[in-house]
Amino acid sequence: MQQVTLLLWISHSLMATAPSVTIFLTAVVHVSPTGKKRSFSCNHCFAQMVFCGDCGELYRRVHWNNHGCKSIVWRCISRLEPGSADTNCTNRTVNELLLQEVTVTAINQILTERGTFLKQLQANIAKAVVSADTLSPDGIQARLEELQKELIKKANNKQDYDAIADEILRLREQKEQSEVDSHHREEAMNRIKELQDFIFKQKTDITEFDEALVKKLIEKITVFADHFTVEFKSGITIDIEA
């Protein structure tokens, strides 16, 4: 059965005129620590970015009216939906203005210590290069094509080809993983270069909150009782006491 399936796959892979097929997948935006799947329609720059340092759940944007004083805050979903939480989260509620200040402070810290952070970014690039696969997806594909031809030849001559079939299946899995790893490395390199370009071009501290800049540079903000941890898409992490 394995061999028949493999031969069918090889036959299909060798078809130069195979029709293209578009597949639409529904992505899960976030899976909570409890396993609950959540999707969000909010397109605010902090949406799906702010996490609780206590329970690991996302923070959600809330319009708050506290004794007639209106404000916009971010609150842990475990506190908004206590019935769905495994633990009784008591982490703080954060005013949106404070989150804005935290991001400005984190970005300015990178600009102030640009020499140190540029060295760290360069080290991150070197690490990404070193972690690259010794055999690229194209190299694996070339080997697969050789093995496919060899397998078909053995099959036509009624020779045993189990070892080749196993090697083809192993290389297929290796190629899929290599493609995923290559994509992740490329994305990481792009994020690093974006922050490098920003540091080089921005000669002074920023004075105002910039939503577009936050979306471009920041990956995650984790809220703790006495500080925030700001994680940039380039891999740099900064703790801000606030």
Side-chain angles (χ1 to χ4, degrees):
M1 186 67 180
Q2 171 184 318
Q3 296 170 351
V4 173
T5 303
L6 183 62
L7 284 172
L8 287 174
W9 172 79
I10 291 173
S11 177
H12 178 73
S13 68
L14 294 176
M15 291 174 60
T17 59
S20 60
V21 178
T22 302
I23 301 175
F24 296 93
L25 299 177
T26 302
V28 176
V29 174
H30 174 70
V31 179
S32 298
T34 59
K36 184 176 181 179
K37 298 176 181 179
R38 303 182 185 276
S39 60
F40 302 89
S41 59
C42 178
N43 60 358
H44 191 277
C45 70
F46 289 140
Q48 304 166 48
M49 182 187 291
V50 185
F51 286 79
C52 178
D54 286 354
C55 70
E57 185 57 273
L58 273 169
Y59 265 53
R60 181 181 292 167
R61 195 171 191 247
V62 179
H63 289 262
W64 212 347
N65 188 343
N66 189 9
H67 303 294
C69 181
K70 296 181 180 180
S71 59
I72 298 176
V73 300
W74 289 78
R75 192 171 176 86
C76 179
I77 291 179
S78 294
R79 299 194 64 185
L80 294 172
E81 303 173 4
S84 65
D86 287 340
T87 59
N88 182 26
C89 183
T90 59
N91 206 356
R92 57 173 163 162
T93 298
V94 182
N95 192 290
E96 185 168 284
L97 294 177
L98 178 56
L99 278 178
Q100 294 178 4
E101 292 176 9
V102 166
T103 59
V104 170
T105 301
I107 293 172
N108 282 338
Q109 185 170 329
I110 285 180
L111 293 173
T112 301
E113 304 174 31
R114 63 182 67 227
T116 299
F117 286 110
L118 282 173
K119 288 181 181 179
Q120 186 174 340
L121 289 173
Q122 197 61 41
N124 289 352
I125 290 177
K127 184 178 179 181
V129 172
V130 170
S131 67
D133 295 327
T134 55
L135 193 57
S136 67
D138 290 341
I140 297 174
Q141 180 59 35
R143 178 57 180 158
L144 276 172
E145 291 173 1
E146 293 176 0
L147 289 173
Q148 289 166 13
K149 293 175 183 178
E150 187 176 345
L151 184 146
I152 292 173
K153 182 178 179 180
K154 284 185 175 291
N156 289 336
N157 293 333
K158 297 183 179 180
Q159 296 176 329
D160 180 74
Y161 52 82
D162 285 350
I164 297 178
D166 290 340
E167 179 66 6
I168 288 175
L169 292 175
R170 186 190 68 79
L171 285 175
R172 283 183 62 194
E173 294 177 356
Q174 184 180 343
K175 181 188 175 187
E176 291 175 359
Q177 186 60 51
S178 179
E179 288 172 341
V180 171
D181 292 343
S182 295
H183 176 72
H184 288 167
R185 275 194 304 274
E186 183 178 352
E187 287 292 311
M189 295 285 279
N190 289 338
R191 301 292 83 79
I192 291 171
K193 290 176 180 177
E194 283 180 351
L195 185 54
Q196 283 180 321
D197 290 343
F198 171 73
I199 293 174
F200 283 127
K201 293 176 182 178
Q202 186 69 32
K203 302 302 182 183
T204 61
D205 287 357
I206 61 173
T207 58
E208 296 180 352
F209 173 74
D210 188 330
E211 182 173 333
L213 193 61
V214 168
K215 286 183 177 181
K216 182 178 181 179
L217 298 181
I218 295 179
E219 177 75 23
K220 181 179 180 181
I221 302 171
T222 305
V223 182
F224 295 94
D226 58 353
H227 72 280
F228 297 83
T229 297
V230 180
E231 180 181 332
F232 288 80
K233 293 181 179 180
S234 62
I236 286 177
T237 299
I238 294 178
D239 288 335
I240 303 295
E241 293 184 2

